[in-house]
PDB file of all heavy atoms in Angstrom:
ATOM      1  N   ALA A 653      -0.062  52.190 -55.099  1.00 97.00           N
ATOM      2  CA  ALA A 653       0.819  52.829 -54.096  1.00 97.00           C
ATOM      3  C   ALA A 653       0.266  52.607 -52.699  1.00 97.00           C
ATOM      4  O   ALA A 653       1.011  52.389 -51.728  1.00 97.00           O
ATOM      5  CB  ALA A 653       0.937  54.331 -54.393  1.00 97.00           C
ATOM      6  N   PHE A 655      -1.627  50.014 -51.712  1.00 97.00           N
ATOM      7  CA  PHE A 655      -1.410  48.629 -51.359  1.00 97.00           C
ATOM      8  C   PHE A 655       0.035  48.386 -50.923  1.00 97.00           C
ATOM      9  O   PHE A 655       0.299  47.730 -49.920  1.00 97.00           O
ATOM     10  CB  PHE A 655      -1.753  47.729 -52.546  1.00 97.00           C
ATOM     11  CG  PHE A 655      -1.584  46.267 -52.275  1.00 97.00           C
ATOM     12  CD1 PHE A 655      -2.497  45.549 -51.518  1.00 97.00           C
ATOM     13  CD2 PHE A 655      -0.488  45.576 -52.809  1.00 97.00           C
ATOM     14  CE1 PHE A 655      -2.341  44.215 -51.252  1.00 97.00           C
ATOM     15  CE2 PHE A 655      -0.340  44.194 -52.556  1.00 97.00           C
ATOM     16  CZ  PHE A 655      -1.259  43.550 -51.780  1.00 97.00           C
ATOM     17  N   PHE A 689     -10.020  45.515 -44.642  1.00 97.00           N
ATOM     18  CA  PHE A 689      -9.999  44.743 -43.405  1.00 97.00           C
ATOM     19  C   PHE A 689     -10.229  43.236 -43.653  1.00 97.00           C
ATOM     20  O   PHE A 689      -9.753  42.398 -42.878  1.00 97.00           O
ATOM     21  CB  PHE A 689     -11.049  45.296 -42.466  1.00 97.00           C
ATOM     22  CG  PHE A 689     -11.169  44.530 -41.162  1.00 97.00           C
ATOM     23  CD1 PHE A 689     -10.270  44.763 -40.136  1.00 97.00           C
ATOM     24  CD2 PHE A 689     -12.195  43.631 -40.959  1.00 97.00           C
ATOM     25  CE1 PHE A 689     -10.382  44.054 -38.940  1.00 97.00           C
ATOM     26  CE2 PHE A 689     -12.313  42.936 -39.784  1.00 97.00           C
ATOM     27  CZ  PHE A 689     -11.407  43.136 -38.763  1.00 97.00           C
ATOM     28  N   PRO A 697      -3.073  40.827 -55.413  1.00 95.00           N
ATOM     29  CA  PRO A 697      -4.161  41.579 -56.052  1.00 95.00           C
ATOM     30  C   PRO A 697      -4.110  41.534 -57.566  1.00 95.00           C
ATOM     31  O   PRO A 697      -3.038  41.513 -58.174  1.00 95.00           O
ATOM     32  CB  PRO A 697      -3.873  43.003 -55.558  1.00 95.00           C
ATOM     33  CG  PRO A 697      -2.392  43.060 -55.393  1.00 95.00           C
ATOM     34  CD  PRO A 697      -1.950  41.680 -54.964  1.00 95.00           C
ATOM     35  N   VAL A 716     -12.063  47.682 -58.824  1.00 98.00           N
ATOM     36  CA  VAL A 716     -12.422  46.340 -58.361  1.00 98.00           C
ATOM     37  C   VAL A 716     -11.173  45.478 -58.425  1.00 98.00           C
ATOM     38  O   VAL A 716     -10.517  45.340 -59.455  1.00 98.00           O
ATOM     39  CB  VAL A 716     -13.529  45.728 -59.262  1.00 98.00           C
ATOM     40  CG1 VAL A 716     -13.948  44.376 -58.737  1.00 98.00           C
ATOM     41  CG2 VAL A 716     -14.717  46.705 -59.341  1.00 98.00           C
ATOM     42  N   THR A 733      -9.547  31.995 -55.628  1.00 67.00           N
ATOM     43  CA  THR A 733      -9.836  33.394 -55.332  1.00 67.00           C
ATOM     44  C   THR A 733     -10.279  33.480 -53.883  1.00 67.00           C
ATOM     45  O   THR A 733     -11.193  32.779 -53.435  1.00 67.00           O
ATOM     46  CB  THR A 733     -10.972  33.908 -56.259  1.00 67.00           C
ATOM     47  OG1 THR A 733     -10.472  33.893 -57.586  1.00 67.00           O
ATOM     48  CG2 THR A 733     -11.308  35.350 -55.886  1.00 67.00           C
ATOM     49  N   THR A 778     -38.533  46.809 -44.303  1.00 97.00           N
ATOM     50  CA  THR A 778     -39.373  47.794 -43.624  1.00 97.00           C
ATOM     51  C   THR A 778     -38.812  48.072 -42.227  1.00 97.00           C
ATOM     52  O   THR A 778     -38.547  47.122 -41.479  1.00 97.00           O
ATOM     53  CB  THR A 778     -40.826  47.302 -43.514  1.00 97.00           C
ATOM     54  OG1 THR A 778     -41.340  47.055 -44.813  1.00 97.00           O
ATOM     55  CG2 THR A 778     -41.688  48.354 -42.811  1.00 97.00           C
ATOM     56  N   ALA A 796     -25.439  51.781 -18.329  1.00 95.00           N
ATOM     57  CA  ALA A 796     -25.605  52.064 -16.918  1.00 95.00           C
ATOM     58  C   ALA A 796     -25.185  50.915 -16.042  1.00 95.00           C
ATOM     59  O   ALA A 796     -24.501  51.105 -15.015  1.00 95.00           O
ATOM     60  CB  ALA A 796     -27.059  52.436 -16.628  1.00 95.00           C
ATOM     61  N   PRO A 801     -19.150  55.071 -20.216  1.00 91.00           N
ATOM     62  CA  PRO A 801     -19.583  56.303 -20.849  1.00 91.00           C
ATOM     63  C   PRO A 801     -20.731  56.057 -21.813  1.00 91.00           C
ATOM     64  O   PRO A 801     -20.796  55.026 -22.497  1.00 91.00           O
ATOM     65  CB  PRO A 801     -18.310  56.765 -21.611  1.00 91.00           C
ATOM     66  CG  PRO A 801     -17.190  56.022 -20.955  1.00 91.00           C
ATOM     67  CD  PRO A 801     -17.728  54.722 -20.478  1.00 91.00           C
ATOM     68  N   ASP A 824     -16.835  40.988 -51.688  1.00 96.00           N
ATOM     69  CA  ASP A 824     -17.514  39.845 -52.290  1.00 96.00           C
ATOM     70  C   ASP A 824     -16.698  38.630 -51.920  1.00 96.00           C
ATOM     71  O   ASP A 824     -15.580  38.445 -52.425  1.00 96.00           O
ATOM     72  CB  ASP A 824     -17.638  40.000 -53.800  1.00 96.00           C
ATOM     73  CG  ASP A 824     -18.382  38.859 -54.473  1.00 96.00           C
ATOM     74  OD1 ASP A 824     -18.997  38.064 -53.732  1.00 96.00           O
ATOM     75  OD2 ASP A 824     -18.346  38.753 -55.713  1.00 96.00           O
ATOM     76  N   ARG A 900     -25.422  21.739 -24.416  1.00 97.00           N
ATOM     77  CA  ARG A 900     -25.719  20.544 -23.654  1.00 97.00           C
ATOM     78  C   ARG A 900     -25.677  19.292 -24.551  1.00 97.00           C
ATOM     79  O   ARG A 900     -25.114  18.235 -24.187  1.00 97.00           O
ATOM     80  CB  ARG A 900     -27.077  20.626 -22.964  1.00 97.00           C
ATOM     81  CG  ARG A 900     -27.451  19.405 -22.163  1.00 97.00           C
ATOM     82  CD  ARG A 900     -28.818  19.508 -21.531  1.00 97.00           C
ATOM     83  NE  ARG A 900     -29.885  19.697 -22.535  1.00 97.00           N
ATOM     84  CZ  ARG A 900     -31.170  19.774 -22.246  1.00 97.00           C
ATOM     85  NH1 ARG A 900     -31.571  19.717 -20.968  1.00 97.00           N
ATOM     86  NH2 ARG A 900     -32.074  19.931 -23.200  1.00 97.00           N
ATOM     87  N   HIS A 906     -20.021  14.348 -26.283  1.00 96.00           N
ATOM     88  CA  HIS A 906     -18.552  14.391 -26.127  1.00 96.00           C
ATOM     89  C   HIS A 906     -18.257  14.403 -24.605  1.00 96.00           C
ATOM     90  O   HIS A 906     -17.920  15.475 -24.060  1.00 96.00           O
ATOM     91  CB  HIS A 906     -17.976  15.642 -26.803  1.00 96.00           C
ATOM     92  CG  HIS A 906     -18.173  15.657 -28.286  1.00 96.00           C
ATOM     93  ND1 HIS A 906     -19.392  16.038 -28.880  1.00 96.00           N
ATOM     94  CD2 HIS A 906     -17.328  15.359 -29.289  1.00 96.00           C
ATOM     95  CE1 HIS A 906     -19.233  15.968 -30.176  1.00 96.00           C
ATOM     96  NE2 HIS A 906     -18.023  15.532 -30.472  1.00 96.00           N
ATOM     97  N   VAL A 931     -22.827  30.866 -20.064  1.00 97.00           N
ATOM     98  CA  VAL A 931     -23.186  30.200 -18.808  1.00 97.00           C
ATOM     99  C   VAL A 931     -22.274  30.701 -17.692  1.00 97.00           C
ATOM    100  O   VAL A 931     -22.749  30.976 -16.561  1.00 97.00           O
ATOM    101  CB  VAL A 931     -23.089  28.652 -18.947  1.00 97.00           C
ATOM    102  CG1 VAL A 931     -23.275  27.999 -17.594  1.00 97.00           C
ATOM    103  CG2 VAL A 931     -24.102  28.151 -19.951  1.00 97.00           C
ATOM    104  N   ARG A 946     -17.624  42.111 -14.863  1.00 91.00           N
ATOM    105  CA  ARG A 946     -16.524  42.971 -15.328  1.00 91.00           C
ATOM    106  C   ARG A 946     -15.199  42.300 -15.040  1.00 91.00           C
ATOM    107  O   ARG A 946     -14.290  42.260 -15.904  1.00 91.00           O
ATOM    108  CB  ARG A 946     -16.571  44.331 -14.677  1.00 91.00           C
ATOM    109  CG  ARG A 946     -17.654  45.254 -15.161  1.00 91.00           C
ATOM    110  CD  ARG A 946     -17.544  46.584 -14.442  1.00 91.00           C
ATOM    111  NE  ARG A 946     -16.303  47.246 -14.781  1.00 91.00           N
ATOM    112  CZ  ARG A 946     -16.235  48.454 -15.360  1.00 91.00           C
ATOM    113  NH1 ARG A 946     -17.338  49.111 -15.686  1.00 91.00           N
ATOM    114  NH2 ARG A 946     -15.070  49.009 -15.608  1.00 91.00           N
ATOM    115  N   GLY A 952      -8.044  38.250 -18.612  1.00 81.00           N
ATOM    116  CA  GLY A 952      -6.831  38.059 -19.411  1.00 81.00           C
ATOM    117  C   GLY A 952      -7.119  37.253 -20.641  1.00 81.00           C
ATOM    118  O   GLY A 952      -8.220  36.732 -20.844  1.00 81.00           O
ATOM    119  N   LEU A 962     -11.635  32.973 -12.094  1.00 94.00           N
ATOM    120  CA  LEU A 962     -12.800  32.224 -11.637  1.00 94.00           C
ATOM    121  C   LEU A 962     -12.538  31.615 -10.237  1.00 94.00           C
ATOM    122  O   LEU A 962     -13.445  31.607  -9.398  1.00 94.00           O
ATOM    123  CB  LEU A 962     -13.155  31.118 -12.639  1.00 94.00           C
ATOM    124  CG  LEU A 962     -13.743  31.588 -13.961  1.00 94.00           C
ATOM    125  CD1 LEU A 962     -13.900  30.423 -14.921  1.00 94.00           C
ATOM    126  CD2 LEU A 962     -15.078  32.310 -13.773  1.00 94.00           C
ATOM    127  N   GLY A 967     -14.069  31.396  -4.970  1.00 94.00           N
ATOM    128  CA  GLY A 967     -13.537  30.973  -3.696  1.00 94.00           C
ATOM    129  C   GLY A 967     -13.703  29.502  -3.477  1.00 94.00           C
ATOM    130  O   GLY A 967     -13.970  29.072  -2.328  1.00 94.00           O
TER     131      GLY A 967
END
Side-chain angles (χ1 to χ4, degrees):
F655 180 76
F689 177 79
V716 183
T733 296
T778 301
D824 182 12
R900 180 181 61 177
H906 297 79
V931 173
R946 285 181 64 120
L962 289 173

